[in-house]
Amino acid sequence: MPCTIVVGGEFGDEGKGKIVAHLALHDKPKIVARAGVGPNAGHTVYFQGKKFGLRQVPCGFVYEGARMLIGPGVLVNPEIVVKEVAETGTGNRFGVDRRCAVIEASHVEQDRTSAHLKGKIGTTGTGCGPANVARVNRTARLAESVQELQRFLADVPKEVNDVLRRGELVLIEGSQGFGLSLVHGTYPYVTSKDTCASTAAADVGVGPTMVDEVMLVFKAYASRVGAGPFPTEIPQGEAERMGIVEFGTVTGRRRRIGTFDFELARRAVMTNSATQIVITCLDRLFKGCAGAKKFEQLPADAQAFVKRVEGELGVPVTMISVGQGIGDVIDLRAEKL
Ligand code: IMP
Ligand code: MG
């Protein structure tokens, strides 16, 4: 599976970061490339006793043998890039494509003060929407003109395709989730770009025929930050009784919580051409999952849920996350693929 894409099937925050970290340590890719919108996404990974909430550097950084890249389709905020490269200690193996569009202070200001973006849509206020507008207007500045990024400038499509041509593994880390897609999601309550696998591939310069696996990640329950339709939403009080209280990685906003949305999930599977399903946070929905290393060690209700997801979506569940740590994963790929 030389080219694997990891994308979200709900409204972001499915736990893609931790899954990418596991895949990186386990599969040892040559490259982990970040796709998606930009620093509006926060991917969390717990590594060596530390919590990383990464918005630009790929979560695959945990595997030291991989080069960390940001594809040209992704927006960059140079300040955040520089900070995260330092935090992750990846300076000698990090590259940002010279064609990435840059988020300016004015974009952030616009995003935070606009009655429409901040008030109605409830954006993350990170300037991504206005920066994508600038890119479409062909007024955006590109990474190649930013002084602090000079030493990291790279030709990401070339690097990625060279590795793939040699038959070596590239992991593409998508961001946000299906319901937030500008094209396929709950418009206008969406992010400023498509969030599906095909766009993630395009973000790093890979065409559809080069993609081998699309891993679609679902949290065992759904969550959503910001405004917009959420058909399976439950009252916060009910979520609290289930022990589920979440806050956004980027904004700190309390997340709305809902039950698994099979209808949305089926559409996400179809539109992403998913080849594998990943279920995360199973331990938060079903007690007694923690520490399970095999499917058979899961409690009966958790097993039944996984089987129902697999049955209704018609795609194998190849990975199940049962805790925060990178190792808290039941990896079923060897038996199912
Ligand atoms: P924007 O992407 O900042 O313009 O925000 C648009 C919508 O997408 C808002 O509802 C945000 O909360 C949501 N959103 C954007 N990125 C993420 C993410 O990574 N996780 C969860 N929600 C996100
Ligand atoms: Mg997140």
Side-chain angles (χ1 to χ4, degrees):
M1 30 147 188
C3 185
T4 296
I5 303 183
V6 177
V7 277
E10 290 155 324
F11 299 99
D13 308 312
E14 298 93 354
K16 295 176 289 293
K18 175 249 171 79
I19 295 303
V20 168
H22 166 80
L23 289 169
L25 287 178
H26 191 273
D27 298 356
K28 304 185 176 11
K30 279 280 178 286
I31 289 176
V32 184
R34 185 121 172 189
V37 184
N40 50 353
H43 292 182
T44 305
V45 56
Y46 292 84
F47 182 60
Q48 296 178 339
K50 214 180 142 198
K51 178 181 180 178
F52 293 85
L54 298 176
R55 298 165 58 187
Q56 302 256 238
V57 170
C59 282
F61 85 91
V62 297
Y63 170 55
E64 289 183 4
R67 190 150 152 75
M68 299 292 110
L69 299 176
I70 299 180
V74 180
L75 297 163
V76 292
N77 181 324
E79 211 177 299
I80 300 173
V81 169
V82 169
K83 180 172 142 281
E84 290 187 358
V85 169
E87 262 171 28
T88 54
T90 47
N92 58 349
R93 56 188 177 101
F94 172 79
V96 53
D97 195 274
R98 47 179 64 253
R99 292 181 182 84
C100 289
V102 173
I103 299 174
E104 311 284 350
S106 61
H107 297 146
V108 176
E109 175 70 15
Q110 235 181 299
D111 204 4
R112 291 193 178 159
T113 55
S114 152
H116 176 69
L117 292 176
K118 193 70 210 170
K120 182 179 171 190
I121 308 298
T123 69
T124 59
T126 50
C128 289
N132 270 334
V133 169
R135 178 138 206 169
V136 171
N137 276 338
R138 281 139 294 173
T139 53
R141 231 163 27 110
L142 300 185
E144 62 190 2
S145 69
V146 177
Q147 196 53 43
E148 311 95 275
L149 297 180
Q150 291 302 312
R151 70 191 181 99
F152 301 128
L153 292 180
D155 183 345
V156 171
K158 173 90 170 56
E159 283 196 43
V160 165
N161 282 283
D162 283 351
V163 165
L164 290 175
R165 213 172 308 119
R166 290 201 300 269
E168 293 174 320
L169 180 62
V170 172
L171 200 52
I172 300 176
E173 178 174 339
S175 72
Q176 285 81 34
F178 177 71
L180 292 175
S181 165
L182 179 65
V183 180
H184 303 286
T186 55
Y187 188 88
Y189 299 98
V190 293
T191 189
S192 52
K193 200 167 84 178
D194 175 39
T195 55
C196 292
S198 44
T199 296
D203 282 340
V204 304
V206 169
T209 56
M210 288 296 263
V211 177
D212 300 282
E213 299 287 341
V214 174
M215 300 182 78
L216 188 58
V217 184
F218 293 97
K219 197 148 62 175
Y221 50 91
S223 68
R224 174 161 203 167
V225 282
F230 191 2
T232 63
E233 185 168 16
I234 58 175
Q236 287 288 18
E238 197 180 323
E240 277 164 31
R241 278 191 295 280
M242 293 161 69
I244 299 172
V245 177
E246 294 189 9
F247 296 91
T249 311
V250 173
T251 56
R253 289 181 294 183
R254 177 129 179 214
R255 291 179 187 150
R256 300 156 65 194
I257 304 294
T259 56
F260 193 89
D261 186 340
F262 284 93
E263 203 181 312
L264 177 83
R266 270 190 289 270
R267 212 169 161 85
V269 164
M270 175 184 81
T271 315
N272 281 283
S273 302
T275 61
Q276 301 179 45
I277 301 286
V278 178
I279 299 178
T280 62
C281 299
L282 194 67
D283 56 305
R284 292 200 207 155
L285 196 59
F286 301 99
K287 305 304 156 214
C289 292
K293 290 283 169 220
K294 293 194 159 126
F295 184 76
E296 295 69 31
Q297 293 167 344
L298 291 171
D301 51 357
Q303 289 192 21
F305 174 76
V306 172
K307 284 184 180 151
R308 181 175 170 211
V309 169
E310 197 168 62
E312 293 215 16
L313 302 186
V315 176
V317 172
T318 56
M319 215 171 275
I320 300 167
S321 169
V322 292
Q324 277 183 343
I326 300 175
D328 298 330
V329 160
I330 303 174
D331 191 335
L332 300 164
R333 289 178 297 165
E335 350 177 338
K336 294 224 180 162
L337 296 180

